[in-house]
Amino acid sequence: MNLEWLDAFLISGLFSVVVIIGLALLLHLQLGLTRIANFGVVGFFGIGMYSFGVMFTKVDWPFGDLPAFLISLAFGTLVAGLSGLLVGWLIADLDEDGVLVGTLGFATVVFILATTEQDLTGGALGLGGLKFPYDVGTVKADEFLWLIIVSIVVSLIFLYVWWVHRTPYGRLLIATGGNEPLARSLGKATFRTKLWLFAVGSAGMGLIGALFGVMERFLAPENLGIDVTLAAMVALVIGGTARAWGAVIGGFLIFGFFDIIVQSYIPFPKEWYGQAIPNAKLIVEGLVLMGVLLFRPLGILGAMQRDKLMRRVHG
Amino acid sequence: MVSETQQATVTRPQIRVQNAVKSFSGRVVVDIDDLMLGDQPIEGLIGPNGAGKTTLMRMIMHSTPLDSGTITLFNANGGGDVVISNLPTHWMAPHGLVKSNQVIMDFDNLTILDSMLLAVSTARYEKPYRIFDEPRLYADSVERMNEYMEYFDLGDPMRIAGSAGEKKLLDIIRCLLLEPKFLMLDEPTAGLPEEVTEKVVGLIRKLADEGTSVVIVEHDLNVIWNLCDEVHFMAEGSVVLHGSPEEIRQNSTVVEKYLGEGHV
Amino acid sequence: MDLDFFSKSIVIGLTEHAPLILAAIGFALLYRLTGLINVAYSETITLGAYFGMWFNTTYDLNFYTVLLPAGIVAGLISVGTYFAVFRPAKKLNVGALEMIIISFGLSIVLRHALQFVFGYPVRFFEVPPPVSIRVLGVGVGAFRILAVASVAAVSLALYYFIQRTSFGLQIRALASDEDLAQASGIRPLFVTVLIWFIAGVAGGMAGAFYGVSSSVAPLLGWRQFLFIFLVVVVGGRKGLGGVIITGALTGIALAAMTLQFGQVLYAQLALIIAFVVLLKWRSKRSIETVKV
Amino acid sequence: MSETNGTPMLEASGLRSGYHGVNVLKDISFEVGNEVFTVLGANGAGKTTLLATLARLIPSTAGSISFLGDDVTRIPAFETAARGMGYVPQERGVFPDLTVMENLTVGGMIGERSREERIEEVVELFPDLGNLGNQVAGTLSGGESRMVACGRALMQDPALLLLDEPTAGLSPLYVDMFFEKITEIHQDKGVGIILAEQNATKALEVADRVMVLSLGEAFAVMDAANLTTDQLKEGYRI
């Protein structure tokens, strides 16, 4: 494959945009529809990434790379889903402060475990040995193929999230977020609904974490900073929490802009790239988050517009 | 009105409240020895401020937990008897027990149609993996929904309910779509225009004729006098009188509790 | 486990985690009055550490001289954030959930903006090397003892201010019932500004203590935030006294578990889990009445 | 309809207000002088909404309120309090986290006179409060907390006191005591009183003038002595 036309920065930039969109889409189900502010996105992302990484590199697999890879991937997703179930059970009937404590606490727990369990995770030194389940020649080609694969996965997640708006399940999520006591009085088991939402959402975040880990090739606790949660939240909020397209638009807009255009194509002085630009990027993300929520709380796309949707579905 | 013979064939669900006590920060708000609701098709629950009417309804729905006592639903959906005071709120509707809300309650982002579909949908449809069920749900329930929409002249259902009155009405419609066997209405007509109130009252009568037990709390006593077959009068946390509207209206205790002793 | 273990845990716990109590008092004031979970409070702490360090190194001032100025600057910044962000947000009717996310955004902005001001490298206070004294058979830096004493003094002063003075009474009245407080003639704006200032001062001083006992870095406050928050959520129901006691117990528990497991992270892990489970258990027991 | 003596203390005209877009009060107008003005009505009639609107805790959607000659329709609650309006809400009349003495002190933050003097007067009026000074108000009995609420409002040295069902849910002993105190507050201290009550008999004993609210509308405004039982029953729809 001749990939000379393709810039390596562009691949990694696009990859991070796709990963953030994936996380933001899952966050949309929790925050946008059900109004649960999950501040532990990075925890589920991280536990999926590490479970996959440990399973893949530490187990002596009797068969080829691809089956081992897929089994590990499934394992990472499962572990993330189960931890989502556990966290969901702990916090689903708590109020906003309980949710913040629980999800933030979970992210911290994952970070701590990644640091302390050196036998498994390599601790602060990191865990190497991850690789693509294929080899198509150059590193660049491998990465490009992986970008395509992950884009497909995220597209499927998008399709599901987009479609959920058109299902009784999606309606229940919106109702639970809008007025939980009222939903309960209509016979809806809102606690169980939130539990499942957390399990499914977390499994998805774990899967994305594992896929991200493959591209990184080397897992370290630095990957588990709060900026991952921030990124997903910013992408979702700027695009619009209430709409499925919000995550996609927000992701491209802010991270496409920063990770691709600013970091790769604008000729800033060399010494800025070390700290000034990443630092400025986070400041901008924070400002965007505040500004949007203050002055246009529903983001670029605005309100949910169920009226138009219902007309399209049942009109 | 229902004839005697008809009434005998219908088995109405009833609710029995026994030894139910609820107090808030040391003050007893509800204390009921033994109360049977649902003997008559439509029963009213009235009483002066602080008598505990709303609290009693919430206790029955278990959105306010009891300090002690039991509440039993006889002839629940499916015919059996269920002790409902141990059950969480979301189990009431499946047992056929439904309550409308006193204050305006609505879902922020859901259209009128959504609200109705939410009410008719069951847990079976609402699983994260059941993603192709919407058309079936709609087809199964469109007739029932249309009935209400036409009856109340709701207009376009694919919009979010606007006025407070419309939201209040939607709240009642949601309750009716749940096909209640035992329906409690907390001030159903407050905030509704007169012609809508009449339609709601008509529907309540029809529902009661078909075998649903209805209990109404209402501040506009004219509604109670006109609509109810029996009235329970509550004061200071317990039911002190039962009787026909005429009996209650003429009873000196009622006048005394509302107005004070000198006006008997 | 013997007496030695307990005395060690208590001494280490109180000396190392004394600033936690101070920070938690400030956070609890904000949380109880405004119902606001201000994630950016962690940056108030960080800024206290940075300004303390800056006064200390620039003007060659002793730590105790810079403590109050650092607190006051942090308090002013805290009031600034109220006027710049939280007050407009309240006027725009921003929901509780959005408010948390906004404060999260503010936290990120402040944390990274301060690096443009103070530079990227980790900074240190310039204080004389500690002299060790033995307390209950445990060797502790003299400075730490002083720190505990001053945290105790500041905490008590705050406690006195809140519980015994007229301003403190207004603060508690407003926290207890905002409508009734207004009907009693209390000016909410004045009292609210006062709260933000005091909370900021407490946080800033806590930050200075954190900073002087290790280093001054952008993540200083954020690393403590979860524990401060947990202490306030779990202990805050019983007023400031509950916060102080929960804070002290948390410090001791952290120290004890660190001694036991030989790893501070495990101690934190156990504590986070314990607190969240406690919250869950408490919510099960107190089912609130809902208006349906 | 009877007139107030001299210039009115409080004047409401065309008042509308409510919650969630439902107007509970529908176009209410009345005047209150230095008197005991009683608002009667069954539950749901809008008594609580009326008093909270007058105290500026619920915004009015239409109409105006003037207090001691000034238009107060748009000014904040703490400002009307400072101008001499005392308000005792129906149930949450005390700061539950503060002690009895602190509750009284909060009330005493406005006004010129010495706080000790005022506390003495309040304790003179409600002797039971003397022994309860350090008890946390949230743990008081219903009657005690109602006394604290009243005392707190009196500490403000109000010109006009709004009392929302001060005796609801109290034992008869307390009820009698409270109505005596209401007369005492009005006659000895010269404080104008607006009293919202459901129990007409007791309220009419102390009232100079009365307004019957019926589902948000003023049904009758007249001298208390002229109100007939039939009018009351009609207003209550019994």
Side-chain angles (χ1 to χ4, degrees), chain C residues 142-203:
Chain C
F143 183 75
R144 285 231 155 122
I145 305 280
L146 260 174
V148 177
S150 30
V151 166
V154 175
S155 304
L156 284 177
L158 271 176
Y159 187 82
Y160 179 84
F161 179 80
I162 301 292
Q163 296 292 340
R164 294 277 177 272
T165 65
S166 161
F167 285 134
L169 184 57
Q170 293 192 38
I171 289 175
R172 284 183 295 134
L174 197 67
S176 186
D177 187 330
E178 193 175 342
D179 272 357
L180 193 59
Q182 288 211 41
S184 312
I186 291 176
R187 290 171 175 272
L189 178 62
F190 170 73
V191 178
T192 309
V193 168
L194 191 66
I195 302 241
W196 280 84
F197 181 69
I198 295 171
V201 171

Side-chain angles (χ1 to χ4, degrees), chain C residues 1 123-125 156 167 269 281:
Chain C
M1 272 200 239
R123 308 278 296 266
F124 297 91
F125 275 83
L156 284 177
F167 285 134
L269 190 80
W281 175 73

Side-chain angles (χ1 to χ4, degrees), chain B residues 27 47-49 53 103-104 164 191 219-222 225 249 255 257-263, chain D residues 20-22 42-44 47 90-91 165 169 198-201 204 215 229 232-233 236-238:
Chain B
R27 197 164 70 93
N49 273 358
K53 306 177 296 284
V103 293
I104 306 273
H219 285 158
D220 187 349
L221 292 181
N222 285 340
W225 307 141
R249 202 170 178 178
V255 179
K257 291 288 178 193
Y258 267 112
L259 299 181
E261 285 160 36
H263 290 274
Chain D
H20 309 289
V22 179
N43 30 344
K47 302 186 295 290
Q90 192 174 3
E91 296 216 325
E165 298 212 28
Q198 176 167 317
N199 183 325
T201 311
L204 287 171
L215 295 177
T229 304
L232 258 182
K233 280 191 175 178
Y236 280 63
R237 310 202 170 197
I238 297 175

Side-chain angles (χ1 to χ4, degrees), chain B residues 22-43:
Chain B
K22 180 70 199 177
S23 49
F24 290 114
S25 50
R27 197 164 70 93
V28 177
V29 181
V30 168
D31 182 356
I32 288 179
D33 285 343
D34 196 346
L35 171 67
M36 199 71 158
L37 295 170
D39 284 335
Q40 297 290 320
I42 305 179
E43 298 183 356

Side-chain angles (χ1 to χ4, degrees), chain A residues 29-150:
Chain A
L29 293 180
Q30 299 175 343
L31 176 62
L33 300 189
T34 323
R35 313 264 309 144
I36 304 173
N38 180 356
F39 280 87
V41 172
V42 66
F44 301 107
F45 174 82
I47 204 163
M49 177 162 82
Y50 265 99
S51 314
F52 160 77
V54 169
M55 193 71 168
F56 186 59
T57 58
K58 300 281 167 171
V59 173
D60 212 0
W61 292 99
F63 30 76
D65 263 1
L66 189 61
F69 184 91
L70 291 176
I71 291 171
S72 308
L73 206 58
F75 175 75
T77 311
L78 186 72
V79 170
L82 288 176
S83 59
L85 206 59
L86 178 69
V87 174
W89 178 76
L90 283 169
I91 62 170
D93 49 2
L94 303 181
D95 48 6
E96 283 104 359
D97 14 334
V99 172
L100 177 59
V101 164
T103 52
L104 213 51
F106 175 72
T108 311
V109 165
V110 172
F111 180 85
I112 289 175
L113 287 176
T115 315
T116 54
E117 303 312 297
Q118 294 181 7
D119 295 343
L120 288 174
T121 66
L125 290 175
L127 175 73
L130 273 71
K131 57 187 176 195
F132 298 111
Y134 51 75
D135 187 358
V136 289
T138 61
V139 171
K140 200 191 216 175
D142 282 348
E143 291 191 342
F144 185 58
L145 183 56
W146 193 240
L147 169 64
I148 291 172
I149 291 171
V150 174

Side-chain angles (χ1 to χ4, degrees), chain D:
Chain D
M1 195 183 283
S2 68
E3 297 299 314
T4 56
N5 315 323
T7 45
M9 284 180 122
L10 182 126
E11 213 178 330
S13 67
L15 207 56
R16 288 169 195 271
S17 81
Y19 314 83
H20 309 289
V22 179
N23 270 338
V24 178
L25 297 182
K26 297 153 189 162
D27 194 8
I28 305 260
S29 303
F30 61 94
E31 289 177 8
V32 182
N34 192 345
E35 60 182 330
V36 178
F37 183 83
T38 297
V39 182
L40 292 175
N43 30 344
K47 302 186 295 290
T48 297
T49 312
L50 175 63
L51 260 58
T53 309
L54 294 179
R56 302 287 311 116
L57 290 171
I58 302 177
S60 50
T61 51
S64 67
I65 307 167
S66 89
F67 178 52
L68 299 176
D70 302 320
D71 183 24
V72 297
T73 320
R74 293 278 164 265
I75 68 171
F78 60 86
E79 187 62 37
T80 51
R83 291 183 190 197
M85 196 185 293
Y87 172 56
V88 182
Q90 192 174 3
E91 296 216 325
R92 305 174 312 134
V94 296
F95 296 103
D97 306 336
L98 308 189
T99 66
V100 169
M101 200 46 77
E102 286 172 339
N103 264 282
L104 295 181
T105 312
V106 169
M109 281 174 180
I110 19 186
E112 312 276 293
R113 293 193 304 133
S114 103
R115 205 174 288 163
E116 285 68 31
E117 191 184 324
R118 285 188 269 172
I119 288 183
E120 235 169 70
E121 282 176 21
V122 168
V123 173
E124 207 176 299
L125 189 67
F126 298 112
D128 292 6
L129 295 187
N131 310 320
L132 295 172
N134 288 323
Q135 195 169 336
V136 177
T139 63
L140 296 174
S141 76
E144 289 165 345
S145 86
R146 231 59 73 81
M147 286 191 268
V148 175
C150 254
R152 194 214 78 245
L154 284 174
M155 289 288 293
Q156 295 170 216
D157 272 345
L160 182 67
L161 190 60
L162 312 181
L163 296 172
D164 193 354
E165 298 212 28
T167 64
L170 297 188
S171 70
L173 267 167
Y174 270 122
V175 175
D176 290 344
M177 186 274 281
F178 257 100
F179 280 107
E180 270 167 38
K181 297 295 177 192
I182 288 168
T183 317
E184 208 176 317
I185 293 167
H186 174 58
Q187 284 171 356
D188 299 358
K189 298 179 193 280
V191 179
I193 290 175
I194 300 182
L195 171 69
E197 259 298 335
Q198 176 167 317
N199 183 325
T201 311
K202 281 284 169 194
L204 287 171
E205 278 172 19
V206 299
D208 294 315
R209 286 192 317 135
V210 59
M211 170 164 78
V212 182
L213 276 184
S214 183
L215 295 177
E217 286 169 40
F219 175 76
V221 187
M222 57 172 64
D223 281 338
N226 299 339
L227 189 72
T228 65
T229 304
D230 283 341
Q231 276 174 315
L232 258 182
K233 280 191 175 178
E234 199 181 337
Y236 280 63
R237 310 202 170 197
I238 297 175

